[in-house]
Amino acid sequence: RYRSDIRNIAIIAHVDHGKTTLVDAVLKQTGTFRENQKVDERIMDSNPQERERGITIFAKNASFFYKDTKVNIVDTPGHADFGGEVERILKMVNGAVLLVDALEGPMPQTKFVLRKALELHLKILVVINKIDRPNCNPMKVLDEVLDLFIHLGAHEDQLDFPYVFASAKSGFAINELGDEPKDITPLLDMILAHMPPPEADVDAPFQMLVNTIDYSEYLGKIAIGRIFKGSIKKGDPFTCLSAKGKLLNGRVAKLFIFEKLGKVEISEASAGDIIALTGLEDISIGDTLTHPEHQEVLPSIEITEPTISMFFSVNNSPFAGKEGKFVTSRNIRDRLYKELLSNVALRVEDTESADTFKVSGRGELHLSVLIETLRREGYELGVSRPEVIIRRDEEGRACEPIESVTIDVPDTFVGIVIEKMGKRKAEMKNMTQMEGGLVRLDFEIPTRGLLGFNTEFITDTKGEGILTHIFKCYEPFRGEINSRQNGVLVSAENGDSVAYAISSLDDRGVFFVEPGTAVYEGMIVGESNREFDMNVNVCKTKKLTNMRASGSDEALRLTPPRKLTLEQALEFIEDDELVEVTPKSIRLRKKTLD
Ligand code: GDP
């Protein structure tokens, strides 16, 4: 049985291909706004950081009515750091609208989300967007999309996908390129015709998978997902199960569905509906909610593992407390653990120091968005530069994360890009000449090679290059950890195969640390939580000075150094590591990986 009055769909696209604009156009044209509501404001990107950074971070829900059918749209995050979110979102829907820019063609995120959608056997509707752009080639891009379907191993029946051409910005869609542009209706008709209604056995016992958790001060934890079977009413008892054997009983306190752009409280919902409910604090993503007498667990949801860690710590500087409201370790710890409730790809660990927490996430952007959020809320903290997370495989080898990188640049910058990527241990996989003098370069690179690279890349390509990356896999470390040419100081963590090169210390006692090729600035806190700052001055290389001057990421402010005397610093260093000590420097033997 099906709920023919409902469609649950996701919109998937590479960042900037026009998702938000398209949803805005659809909502506007289906009368989802009140008369006096300003519609030139972008609707889906409601988080201030999302607007400033021009990216979608959190998936949000919206809905509209068209020809007596309610269409629930779930938005998916458009940045690779939030890739883990995409799969969870896709499990709520039956169909996906794949949006592709008519000039740029399929990009890494297009590939990634489409692969997930195909694996989940979703019906795909392709929208070739931005057909108003000069020099675009919609038919060629459509062919490329078909090639991508084939490349990703789509089934025979998935290859025959429906498509439309659109200009979200001008608010129209057309079925064939010669058609007269009118409005977005051709797309809406395609959605009703091709996106399957949810299967819905309304009479069966209640069952739902928790795809998302939201949190509000007032309501507490909010579980969001699609009801697979049965129905539920406010006040009903339910059981919460996990694949790991969790079994808890709760009662529905509040029940919501998504209407237009917000949640609306209702008293009853049934199979096919995407709902939000409250009533149990100990709910997690991936849990199944069932009727208390029919406890059947649904397959859980895999959450992408973090690849990058940073240390957040209490600001110990004499200026602490001048800017922020929340400055104690207790404040920071509580806030970080609260963040875990809804930020699923995040990990937080206590360290041996009560003032320092290890925070791990999916990438530099993921963590810098969090840091900025905390700052805006009035938390004052020091953060270290990010480090990649090292894992051991079954054979005990140290493995590091690897990313797939796609770079589009005008051909004059190809040389410098290849050179810089090579220095960062990237392996070039492909090089393609594109329209308009652009060249597309595909690389694989250890994640450490990308840390801090963005600013350099923008400068090198005069702002004309576009770099996107996506986590690929963990692989055994290649070669040794790099060291600097002159006056190198290298130290290794006890019991860990990660080596750090202390390359430079400036007069404030701030030093630079380098795991692999990436340059870091901050405090060294290893797995063993040895923590040391030094107020000695060693080599300053030109490159490091440049890095500092550029202040590459405002969000990554320094931990104020705790000064140590030379004698104190020496206590952290093993005898066999030492080469030379002068009043101004400590020289250590170069250490490599085991
Ligand atoms: P998202 O990241 O996928 O949500 O993309 P946005 O909707 O934010 O769009 C990214 C940029 O592309 C914005 O500057 C839009 O104005 C622009 N854009 C979106 N749709 C179109 C279109 O149909 N034609 C043109 N020329 N630009 C578009």
Side-chain angles (χ1 to χ4, degrees):
R1 269 178 286 173
Y2 294 91
R3 285 282 298 273
S4 57
D5 60 329
I6 291 187
R7 299 290 185 281
N8 294 322
I9 63 170
I11 303 199
I12 57 181
H14 189 78
V15 63
D16 267 355
H17 281 193
K19 234 171 20 183
T20 312
T21 312
L22 186 77
V23 172
D24 285 357
V26 167
L27 295 183
K28 191 172 158 190
Q29 292 188 29
T30 52
T32 303
F33 299 105
R34 273 166 278 131
E35 289 286 303
N36 58 358
Q37 196 165 358
K38 249 181 96 192
V39 287
D40 29 296
E41 259 179 60
R42 290 157 56 99
I43 307 304
M44 273 193 130
D45 288 359
S46 55
N47 176 296
Q49 271 203 71
E50 294 185 346
R51 283 197 299 272
E52 283 165 30
R53 289 173 187 258
I55 53 163
T56 313
I57 301 167
F58 304 108
K60 276 175 288 295
N61 301 328
S63 69
F64 65 90
F65 278 92
Y66 180 65
K67 295 189 174 163
D68 292 333
T69 304
K70 183 181 179 195
V71 182
N72 289 307
I73 304 179
V74 297
D75 188 19
T76 53
H79 190 279
D81 276 12
F82 304 97
E85 305 272 298
V86 174
E87 185 164 349
R88 292 193 291 115
I89 303 302
L90 293 184
K91 289 205 168 169
M92 283 197 271
V93 302
N94 303 92
V97 172
L98 174 72
L99 205 61
V100 185
D101 184 312
L103 185 67
E104 269 189 359
M107 291 292 279
Q109 186 75 0
T110 318
K111 252 183 251 176
F112 170 76
V113 284
L114 180 59
R115 177 182 290 128
K116 297 265 181 217
L118 290 172
E119 280 167 7
L120 292 167
H121 301 287
L122 297 184
K123 181 85 189 181
I124 314 279
L125 164 59
V126 173
V127 177
I128 307 294
N129 188 34
K130 306 200 189 182
I131 58 165
D132 59 288
R133 284 183 82 173
N135 298 323
C136 71
N137 193 340
M139 283 319 282
K140 181 163 163 265
V141 168
L142 187 61
D143 273 349
E144 287 170 3
V145 172
L146 178 61
D147 286 346
L148 188 59
F149 271 69
I150 295 168
H151 172 75
L152 294 175
H155 284 282
E156 199 77 4
D157 56 323
Q158 290 176 311
L159 291 180
D160 191 19
F161 54 82
Y163 60 86
V164 292
F165 301 97
S167 168
K169 201 166 146 186
S170 328
F172 71 80
I174 47 178
N175 290 311
E176 296 301 336
L177 280 175
D179 293 358
E180 185 69 29
K182 215 171 97 230
D183 53 24
I184 209 81
T185 316
L187 171 64
L188 303 181
D189 287 330
M190 282 291 210
I191 290 175
L192 292 207
H194 294 284
M195 299 281 96
E199 244 178 89
D201 187 351
V202 179
D203 301 322
F206 171 71
Q207 193 187 34
M208 128 178 193
L209 184 69
V210 179
N211 298 75
T212 302
I213 292 282
D214 207 348
Y215 183 84
S216 112
E217 287 297 342
Y218 168 62
L219 296 168
K221 260 198 193 179
I222 305 167
I224 299 171
R226 170 166 59 99
I227 304 181
F228 275 123
K229 290 188 206 158
S231 59
I232 190 130
K233 287 199 286 292
K234 193 172 161 171
D236 275 355
F238 65 88
T239 300
C240 173
L241 308 165
S242 77
K244 287 194 189 125
K246 171 161 99 179
L247 198 160
L248 296 164
N249 290 311
R251 195 172 281 279
V252 181
K254 281 185 189 292
L255 193 61
F256 302 88
I257 51 163
F258 295 89
E259 280 287 355
K260 300 182 176 181
L261 295 160
K263 290 194 207 60
V264 175
E265 199 173 347
I266 48 162
S267 53
E268 182 170 9
S270 54
D273 284 324
I274 293 179
I275 62 157
L277 68 79
T278 63
L280 195 60
E281 277 305 296
D282 204 8
I283 290 186
S284 312
I285 286 173
D287 288 353
T288 306
L289 308 185
T290 67
H291 188 282
E293 279 149 38
H294 295 88
Q295 302 176 355
E296 199 189 324
V297 189
L298 290 161
S300 191
I301 296 173
E302 213 180 294
I303 291 165
T304 332
E305 287 294 313
T307 49
I308 293 212
S309 291
M310 286 170 83
F311 290 92
F312 288 21
S313 47
V314 171
N315 188 350
N316 282 325
S317 89
F319 304 109
K322 291 254 159 60
E323 293 172 39
K325 286 184 283 185
F326 307 112
V327 292
T328 67
S329 67
R330 186 62 202 243
N331 292 151
I332 294 169
R333 185 175 189 277
D334 287 353
R335 179 63 184 82
L336 286 175
Y337 278 87
K338 199 181 104 187
E339 181 70 18
L340 290 178
L341 300 177
S342 53
N343 196 340
V344 273
L346 200 75
R347 300 273 178 283
V348 178
E349 293 158 62
D350 293 323
T351 66
E352 275 168 28
S353 154
D355 284 350
T356 303
F357 307 95
K358 184 174 179 181
V359 182
S360 308
R362 269 294 299 122
E364 279 179 292
L365 183 71
H366 184 200
L367 294 183
S368 64
V369 165
L370 172 64
I371 292 164
E372 189 55 25
T373 304
L374 297 188
R375 292 234 156 90
R376 287 176 193 208
E377 289 174 9
Y379 287 84
E380 205 175 294
L381 54 147
V383 296
S384 69
R385 288 271 162 182
E387 299 165 8
V388 298
I389 295 172
I390 307 298
R391 287 210 224 144
R392 292 197 178 272
D393 65 7
E394 282 141 25
E395 290 159 51
R397 291 174 301 184
C399 295
E400 63 172 334
I402 307 287
E403 316 267 333
S404 300
V405 177
T406 299
I407 293 177
D408 284 352
V409 278
D411 37 25
T412 41
F413 301 122
V414 168
I416 179 97
V417 168
I418 292 179
E419 186 197 323
K420 289 287 176 76
M421 291 295 281
K423 277 196 183 145
R424 289 169 171 266
K425 300 250 185 300
E427 226 177 88
M428 192 157 85
K429 292 285 171 190
N430 207 4
M431 178 163 150
T432 333
Q433 187 71 44
M434 310 226 303
E435 310 275 313
L438 285 181
V439 175
R440 175 164 297 178
L441 303 164
D442 292 298
F443 296 92
E444 271 173 26
I445 188 171
T447 305
R448 65 190 149 108
L450 281 181
L451 297 177
F453 181 51
N454 212 29
T455 318
E456 203 179 305
F457 175 76
I458 291 168
T459 313
D460 287 345
T461 62
K462 306 222 170 3
E464 290 185 54
I466 300 172
L467 181 153
T468 46
H469 64 97
I470 195 151
F471 168 72
K472 182 166 175 274
C473 59
Y474 268 87
E475 269 183 15
F477 248 107
R478 298 176 191 166
E480 66 180 52
I481 294 280
N482 256 24
S483 58
R484 309 213 72 79
Q485 304 88 330
N486 42 355
V488 179
L489 290 177
V490 182
S491 141
E493 289 298 333
N494 269 342
D496 202 312
S497 48
V498 191
Y500 299 99
I502 306 167
S503 314
S504 167
L505 301 143
D506 73 12
D507 11 30
R508 288 185 303 139
V510 176
F511 53 86
F512 297 90
V513 189
E514 183 197 75
T517 52
V519 178
Y520 287 67
E521 185 185 21
M523 101 184 139
I524 307 174
V525 187
E527 296 295 334
S528 57
N529 294 314
R530 293 194 314 174
E531 185 181 319
F532 54 99
D533 293 346
M534 297 183 222
N535 60 349
V536 286
N537 215 343
V538 197
C539 65
K540 277 187 184 167
T541 68
K542 193 156 169 284
K543 192 173 163 205
L544 289 169
T545 316
N546 282 342
M547 284 274 305
R548 282 190 41 70
S550 71
S552 60
D553 195 340
E554 217 273 312
L556 305 177
R557 238 184 280 162
L558 275 184
T559 303
R562 178 144 28 92
K563 302 251 177 189
L564 265 81
T565 63
L566 201 59
E567 286 77 49
Q568 285 170 322
L570 279 171
E571 281 179 25
F572 292 101
I573 295 164
E574 309 280 336
D575 279 351
D576 63 344
E577 293 174 330
L578 260 186
V579 178
E580 187 190 10
V581 182
T582 73
K584 287 249 162 201
S585 71
I586 307 171
R587 187 183 280 256
L588 304 184
R589 190 160 287 116
K590 191 169 131 185
K591 277 250 172 118
T592 55
L593 279 178
D594 52 357

